[in-house]
């Protein structure tokens, strides 16, 4: 299944959002007419699709690495504290 126009636009925005004037949230709202929450839901689903990687391999792999780092960081911060470590 090929990417639709909105999915390609999301990847394009992720490739170059910092070149746009204004905060990222405004760029997302202005260009894609999406709320931030909806944008990130779509983005996270999109970067797991092989078609997205075929379309823009560098961007998708960068986004996956960033997501994986955030997940690992959250998991490490939520790990239960051993009683001996807290002494």
């Amino acid at each position: 299944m090929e990417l639709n126009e909105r999915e390609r636009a999301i990847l394009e925005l992720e490739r170059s959002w910092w070149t746009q004037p204004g905060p990222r949230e405004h760029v997302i709202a202005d260009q894609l007419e999406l709320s931030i929450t909806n944008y990130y839901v779509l983005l996270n689903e999109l970067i797991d699709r092989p078609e997205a990687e075929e379309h823009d391999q560098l961007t998708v792999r960068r986004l996956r690495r960033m997501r994986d780092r955030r997940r690992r960081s959250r998991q490490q911060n939520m790990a239960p504290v051993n009683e001996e470590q807290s002494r």
Side-chain angles (χ1 to χ4, degrees), residues 1-16:
M1 188 161 114
E2 289 190 31
L3 300 179
N4 64 37
E5 186 176 328
R6 176 175 268 180
E7 291 165 336
R8 288 190 303 272
I10 288 171
L11 291 176
E12 174 60 33
L13 190 139
E14 282 301 316
R15 184 182 317 119
S16 62

Side-chain angles (χ1 to χ4, degrees), residues 1-80:
M1 188 161 114
E2 289 190 31
L3 300 179
N4 64 37
E5 186 176 328
R6 176 175 268 180
E7 291 165 336
R8 288 190 303 272
I10 288 171
L11 291 176
E12 174 60 33
L13 190 139
E14 282 301 316
R15 184 182 317 119
S16 62
W17 68 265
W18 54 86
T19 63
Q20 306 288 324
R24 183 180 197 173
E25 293 78 17
H26 293 164
V27 175
I28 291 167
D30 291 345
Q31 289 186 7
L32 301 174
E33 299 178 354
L34 289 169
S35 71
I36 288 297
T37 302
N38 288 338
Y39 175 79
Y40 283 111
V41 167
L42 292 172
L43 177 63
N44 276 301
E45 291 171 355
L46 179 60
I47 64 174
D48 287 330
R49 292 181 44 205
E51 300 90 357
E53 189 173 6
E54 289 173 19
H55 179 75
D56 191 341
Q57 185 179 41
L58 293 176
T59 300
V60 170
R61 288 186 177 182
R62 176 179 54 85
L63 293 169
R64 286 177 183 167
R65 281 192 308 273
M66 291 170 51
R67 180 182 64 185
D68 292 344
R69 279 189 214 126
R70 284 190 304 269
R71 284 180 178 168
R72 280 193 303 274
S73 177
R74 281 193 303 267
Q75 289 171 347
Q76 289 172 351
N77 290 334
M78 293 179 11

